[in-house]
Amino acid sequence: MEESIDRSQIAKIQFQGLDYKEPLPGSAVLYSFQKGYEDNVSAVLKYAPDEAKKALDAAGWKPGGDGVRAKNGRKLEVGYTLLGDDPLDKATAGAFAAMLKPVGIRLVIKKADEAEFSSILSDRKFDLFLSGNRSMDPFGARYLCDFYCSDRASNITGAGSAALDEEVRATTTIADLDEQAAAANKVERKALQQYAFLPLFSGPSTYAVKKGLANVGATIFYNPLPETVGWQK
């Protein structure tokens, strides 16, 4: 199914109206501008809806008269949990539905209240769900387990295995940062082959402050100390 998702279109929707562009993310733990980064997503899968159709054909999901595939009398329907009424989120959900329809998958958008966010994640009450997190430091490889270890609550899909968990945790014992990044890339490619998690976009950090206010605004990993923030003289 992931082969039918055009991530560039999702990014266009998210960044519409912003003077901002970025390469599609190839990793959950390192940005494209960081040393040691590799495009692990592209190494595992590419946007190829025709290949997605072939895979579904091979798995026995045949198109019905309404265009929706079926197998053993069951329609190929996937739920998409949508929180709140934000127009941008609605447009994103619509884009997913439009991408999956040509390959024979019906996306069923299920609306939920924003107050249900925590329970949706903790109880894994979703088929497809968009969620994000913020990078707090440049040492992304140290967070590999948070994304991919099967016994971590932060791995919101629950995908993984004990064997893969062992490989992920082994990267945390590597002291050399270059070697650690190389090992993390290798393990992440293996984790992405579970097809449970797909990095979609990163996005900008945008701040608006009064003219003359110094040492505060958009940063990547740096958090300014409160005592350094003040008005220019």
Side-chain angles (χ1 to χ4, degrees):
M1 185 178 71
E2 288 184 332
E3 289 179 312
S4 61
I5 301 300
D6 186 353
R7 295 188 297 152
S8 65
Q9 291 301 315
I10 301 297
K12 285 181 180 179
I13 293 171
Q14 291 291 321
F15 306 146
Q16 186 176 5
L18 300 178
D19 185 17
Y20 177 80
K21 291 182 179 180
E22 66 178 24
L24 291 173
S27 171
V29 295
L30 290 172
Y31 289 105
S32 60
F33 54 80
Q34 288 186 273
K35 185 179 180 181
Y37 166 85
E38 293 182 17
D39 188 351
N40 298 320
V41 173
S42 293
V44 173
L45 64 90
K46 292 178 173 61
Y47 173 57
D50 288 340
E51 294 301 315
K53 291 178 183 178
K54 292 177 182 178
L56 290 170
D57 286 338
W61 292 95
K62 303 302 181 184
D66 58 358
V68 180
R69 292 177 181 268
K71 181 179 180 181
N72 299 328
R74 180 186 176 188
K75 294 282 189 180
L76 185 50
E77 297 180 339
V78 178
Y80 182 104
T81 302
L82 175 63
L83 294 182
D85 295 310
D86 182 80
L88 184 60
D89 293 338
K90 288 182 177 179
T92 302
F96 271 94
M99 292 174 193
L100 293 176
K101 183 178 179 180
V103 300
I105 302 173
R106 175 183 289 157
L107 191 71
V108 180
I109 299 175
K110 303 177 179 180
K111 293 186 178 181
D113 190 271
E114 292 181 355
E116 299 177 66
F117 176 79
S118 294
S119 65
I120 288 171
L121 291 188
S122 61
D123 298 336
R124 297 189 174 114
K125 297 185 294 187
F126 60 86
D127 294 330
L128 290 180
F129 187 69
L130 262 63
S131 181
N133 64 285
R134 180 185 176 190
S135 298
M136 301 302 293
D137 64 53
F139 308 111
R142 67 186 289 195
Y143 302 108
L144 193 67
C145 196
D146 290 331
F147 285 99
Y148 300 114
C149 282
S150 62
D151 56 359
R152 286 287 181 91
S154 51
N155 174 1
I156 63 175
T157 69
S161 65
L164 183 61
D165 293 348
E166 186 176 345
E167 290 188 54
V168 171
R169 288 191 166 95
T171 66
T172 65
T173 65
I174 303 173
D176 183 273
L177 294 180
D178 292 340
E179 292 180 11
Q180 185 185 53
N185 283 321
K186 183 177 180 180
V187 176
E188 184 175 37
R189 287 192 290 273
K190 185 176 292 188
L192 288 169
Q193 289 173 12
Q194 299 172 127
Y195 305 106
F197 172 78
L198 178 64
L200 293 172
F201 56 87
S202 296
S205 294
T206 306
Y207 288 78
V209 299
K210 282 188 176 182
K211 185 177 181 180
L213 188 60
N215 298 327
V216 65
T219 61
I220 300 177
F221 305 120
Y222 173 69
N223 292 313
L225 297 173
E227 58 266 31
T228 65
V229 179
W231 296 101
Q232 298 177 7
K233 294 181 179 179

